[in-house]
Amino acid sequence: MCTYNITVDEDALQKLHPSFNRESFGRWLQHHVDSLVEDMIADQHSDSPLCRTEEEMKAIVEERLRYLDEDDATLLSGEQVFAQMRARYGFNG
């Protein structure tokens, strides 16, 4: 096992999910990190930037910028983005 130090804005965390405290967030984060690692092991070609080369990431960014330039991109409001995050990661509230 490895230990990593991360920095989390506790005020922002409280706004996101008021029931989180240091301990409960730690358990929640550990669960999701474990799941992420398992998923990445199972799917070596996942959407994670960690499984892409620098050239592949540059191509993805260039393609997305081209979509924006050509007005082919689907833009989401901040509220839509947060709603998707809540649904995907199990945030309630």
Side-chain angles (χ1 to χ4, degrees):
M1 288 283 183
C2 297
T3 300
Y4 294 91
N5 293 318
I6 63 168
T7 302
V8 177
D9 181 338
E10 291 182 3
D11 291 335
L13 189 59
Q14 286 294 305
K15 290 177 187 174
L16 177 66
H17 203 292
S19 66
F20 274 147
N21 59 37
R22 183 178 290 253
E23 184 178 322
S24 64
F25 180 71
R27 286 191 311 266
W28 177 88
L29 184 60
Q30 185 66 58
H31 167 77
H32 285 285
V33 169
D34 291 344
S35 294
L36 175 63
V37 170
E38 288 174 13
D39 291 348
M40 290 173 69
I41 290 169
D43 183 5
Q44 295 293 315
H45 300 288
S46 70
D47 289 336
S48 169
L50 300 176
C51 71
R52 308 239 189 245
T53 65
E54 182 177 347
E55 292 79 21
E56 289 172 322
M57 288 306 298
K58 285 181 180 179
I60 289 169
V61 170
E62 288 174 1
E63 179 181 19
R64 291 178 181 173
L65 289 173
R66 183 178 53 75
Y67 286 151
L68 285 171
D69 287 341
E70 296 173 1
D71 290 329
D72 287 337
T74 300
L75 301 179
L76 301 175
S77 71
E79 199 50 46
Q80 289 171 303
V81 171
F82 284 113
Q84 288 181 3
M85 288 174 59
R86 284 189 292 272
R88 181 173 182 176
Y89 299 109
F91 294 131
N92 297 320

